[in-house]
Amino acid sequence: MTFFGVLALAGVVTVAFVVFRCSDDQRFLRASAEIEASARTMRDGERLGPRTVGGMAFEEVRREHGVVVFQQGDHLHSLYGYAWSPQGEPARLLEDVEWSEDHVDHSFKHLRGAFYSWVGGR
């Protein structure tokens, strides 16, 4: 495959991922009432395995420092999903939290209310 072929393929994959994430964000916001109700029941330090909440599948749900992260998956070594943080900006609250043996850099984008999209890069 030529350089331009590889470049075009990378562009298509990137666009597909962005479109998928945008439509997923819409689904998430429609399910936000059920997801918030689930988040409110969790205690700090609690970690739950795979589950479906509000019609959406998550690999893990965990609460640290009052922030509940709903992890959907792992794409190109970056964890991704959503966060519920009623105390405000989750990055500030999670800056010193280690989620595994590998260091994870968290980034959040505000969606609506206490909800954020989340990416955790290794």
Side-chain angles (χ1 to χ4, degrees):
M1 189 178 277
T2 67
F3 172 75
F4 292 111
V6 171
L7 191 60
L9 180 61
V12 168
V13 169
T14 301
V15 168
F17 184 69
V18 168
V19 168
F20 170 75
R21 288 291 298 151
C22 290
S23 63
D24 222 23
D25 287 350
Q26 299 290 329
R27 274 186 40 216
F28 181 82
L29 289 173
R30 284 192 298 273
S32 63
E34 277 185 65
I35 292 169
E36 181 176 348
S38 175
R40 288 184 181 278
T41 66
M42 294 184 69
R43 295 181 312 274
D44 243 22
E46 191 170 3
R47 203 174 163 171
L48 309 173
R51 63 197 54 250
T52 300
V53 181
M56 295 186 71
F58 299 103
E59 289 183 11
E60 182 179 75
V61 180
R62 65 188 303 165
R63 184 175 183 136
E64 298 289 341
H65 298 279
V67 177
V68 180
V69 172
F70 295 84
Q71 179 185 330
Q72 284 189 298
D74 191 337
H75 178 72
L76 298 176
H77 304 291
S78 290
L79 307 170
Y80 65 92
Y82 299 92
W84 176 76
S85 180
Q87 315 87 306
E89 177 58 42
R92 175 181 51 82
L93 299 166
L94 296 176
E95 66 187 351
D96 296 326
V97 174
E98 285 295 326
W99 290 66
S100 65
E101 289 92 35
D102 299 328
H103 177 72
V104 176
D105 293 318
H106 304 280
S107 65
F108 298 90
K109 182 182 114 190
H110 186 252
L111 294 174
R112 180 177 71 199
F115 290 106
Y116 298 78
S117 62
W118 166 73
V119 175
R122 293 184 184 154

